[in-house]
Amino acid sequence: MIEFRNVKKSYPNGTVALKGVNLHIDDGEFVFIVGHSGAGKTTLSKLLLCEERPTSGNIIIGKYDLKTIPNRKIPHYRRQLGVVFQDFRLMPNKTVYENVAFAMRVVGTPARMIKRRVPAILNTVNLGDKHSSFPDEISGGEQQRVALARALANNPSVIIADEPTGNIDPKMSVEIMNLLVKINKLGKTVIVVTHEQSLVDYYKQRVIRIRDGLIVEDTKAEVNLNEKKI
């Protein structure tokens, strides 16, 4: 469960990024967050990741209040999140397998579990045959799938995809979206921050539109989510 209660966010330079956001996302929902540049969606993402704190209001995610959470507990909070960035953020000197395994090692996952789980995750994102490749040896779409696999590594309850199709071609965009659909069907909450209206229109899920720091539209899903065919 994710809940924003009258959340406002101002920056030291005087910019008011969010002006009183109220929002509730249930476990297992698939949500698009859309808005033009400067609307506030990046700030909203940073608040979810606890990279920023709200100026006022509360953000409740599971058992955590992100306005009051102690710094020492933020790493534990983040373990329930899987994050996919537009620019992939893969380690170029590590193979596909090692990029995913690293995310598990840093939280102390036993080696035997890593050995068993990483191949399964790579198969989930259709990269089982790329485990020994380095990032510069695979396509942009494949790199984004590695990033998605890494986000799944520690079995998070929430996946946050920040412009996940921004640096890949349309065909690969559909593949990434279909994988996010698949992950959502496994019971994960999926939040996709995007500006690509065509994808939003096709998948017909809940859409939260932000403009000038306010939610101006919150449209519930119209139909059951179906994967787009290529």
Side-chain angles (χ1 to χ4, degrees):
M1 183 272 292
I2 298 170
E3 188 167 1
F4 280 57
R5 300 174 182 169
N6 195 29
V7 172
K8 299 178 182 178
K9 177 62 181 176
S10 301
Y11 291 97
N13 65 2
T15 300
V16 181
L18 296 180
K19 301 175 181 177
V21 169
N22 291 287
L23 170 64
H24 183 96
I25 298 173
D26 285 324
D27 289 345
E29 276 201 89
F30 191 113
V31 179
F32 287 107
I33 296 176
V34 301
H36 295 300
S37 178
K41 61 184 190 295
T42 298
T43 294
L44 193 148
S45 294
K46 288 182 176 181
L47 289 171
L48 286 170
L49 297 176
C50 219
E51 293 178 355
E52 298 282 354
R53 303 280 189 129
T55 304
S56 63
N58 297 90
I59 303 171
I60 309 298
I61 301 183
K63 64 180 181 180
Y64 297 99
D65 184 333
L66 302 192
K67 190 173 189 296
T68 60
I69 182 174
N71 288 337
R72 71 181 185 277
K73 290 189 176 182
I74 291 175
H76 295 278
Y77 158 71
R78 287 178 176 160
R79 289 182 189 178
Q80 68 181 308
L81 307 178
V83 186
V84 183
F85 298 100
Q86 179 177 350
D87 55 358
F88 315 144
R89 302 191 187 182
L90 301 178
M91 292 175 283
N93 61 334
K94 293 185 180 294
T95 65
V96 166
Y97 180 99
E98 291 165 344
N99 264 279
V100 179
F102 182 78
M104 301 180 71
R105 291 194 185 104
V106 297
V107 299
T109 304
R112 65 184 182 279
M113 187 176 296
I114 293 173
K115 187 175 181 179
R116 181 174 68 249
R117 182 164 171 76
V118 173
I121 296 171
L122 291 177
N123 284 332
T124 297
V125 299
N126 304 321
L127 284 176
D129 61 340
K130 300 289 185 178
H131 61 93
S132 60
S133 299
F134 288 90
D136 64 358
E137 296 173 336
I138 59 179
S139 70
E142 289 169 331
Q143 289 183 55
Q144 190 60 295
R145 280 188 270 156
V146 177
L148 183 53
R150 181 184 58 193
L152 292 169
N154 293 312
N155 195 27
S157 56
V158 180
I159 300 293
I160 301 172
D162 190 359
E163 298 285 3
T165 60
N167 282 338
I168 54 180
D169 64 38
K171 183 177 179 180
M172 292 297 103
S173 295
V174 169
E175 289 191 12
I176 293 298
M177 286 303 306
N178 283 348
L179 285 169
L180 289 168
V181 168
K182 180 179 179 180
I183 290 163
N184 175 248
K185 289 178 177 178
L186 295 175
K188 308 294 185 186
T189 303
V190 176
I191 301 172
V192 180
V193 181
T194 186
H195 67 279
E196 295 196 39
Q197 191 63 43
S198 61
L199 290 177
V200 174
D201 290 343
Y202 181 83
Y203 285 94
K204 298 185 184 302
Q205 281 298 287
R206 182 180 176 187
V207 178
I208 297 169
R209 192 175 304 277
I210 300 178
R211 183 184 303 141
D212 296 328
L214 293 168
I215 293 177
V216 296
E217 181 183 8
D218 188 347
T219 305
K220 295 292 186 180
E222 297 178 17
V223 295
N224 291 332
L225 201 59
N226 294 309
E227 295 183 14
K228 188 174 182 178
K229 303 302 181 183
I230 300 173

